[in-house]
Amino acid sequence: MIIDYNKIKEETLLKFRGGEGELVTRNFIDEDNKIMMSRLKPGASSGYHSHDTNSEIVYIISGDGYFRYDDTEEKFSAGSVHYCPKGHSHAMFNDGNDDVVYFAIVGEHGR
């Protein structure tokens, strides 16, 4: 199956999951996965949230920032991969001057 993000409507979300600023995203969602191509604007963040029934893998295409992962901060840049396993929590922060462009997969567990 090919997912063509050019054919998926772009959405702009403000204060995603209680974070700050603007997230622009295109999402493919089925019963097992959420697959996202997104841009987190400079100064924006996602809210800190738990992955109780799923896990998330985030591949950074461009931009700089950091994740709050459980009780640690982890810096990222283009080419980094962040993994938040089931049972852990995280938030993403764009503290750079450019959009953070990333591809993410949230896979459900135990279905």
Side-chain angles (χ1 to χ4, degrees):
M1 170 195 285
I2 299 293
I3 299 169
D4 185 349
Y5 282 100
N6 294 317
K7 295 180 180 177
I8 296 175
K9 184 180 178 202
E10 187 172 83
E11 297 179 69
T12 299
L13 307 174
L14 300 176
K15 299 185 176 187
F16 180 66
R17 291 188 171 262
E20 296 296 325
E22 187 175 307
L23 172 71
V24 180
T25 189
R26 295 173 193 253
N27 301 323
F28 171 86
I29 302 170
D30 66 15
E31 63 273 0
D32 296 315
N33 295 287
K34 181 176 183 183
I35 306 171
M36 302 163 279
M37 181 66 73
S38 304
R39 290 182 287 124
L40 190 63
K41 295 294 191 174
S45 64
S46 65
Y48 188 73
H49 59 281
S50 297
H51 284 268
D52 298 323
T53 64
N54 55 37
S55 60
E56 184 169 11
I57 300 165
V58 181
Y59 174 72
I60 306 299
I61 297 168
S62 64
D64 298 293
Y66 66 96
F67 282 94
R68 179 174 163 216
Y69 173 66
D70 293 334
D71 294 326
T72 64
E73 282 189 8
E74 302 175 337
K75 296 287 288 173
F76 66 77
S77 59
S80 298
V81 176
H82 168 74
Y83 176 50
C84 186
K86 179 181 170 183
H88 293 266
S89 301
H90 68 164
M92 178 188 232
F93 298 83
N94 181 349
D95 62 356
N97 296 318
D98 299 311
D99 289 356
V100 169
V101 179
Y102 65 93
F103 177 79
I105 300 170
V106 176
E108 290 294 333
H109 302 286
R111 286 188 176 194

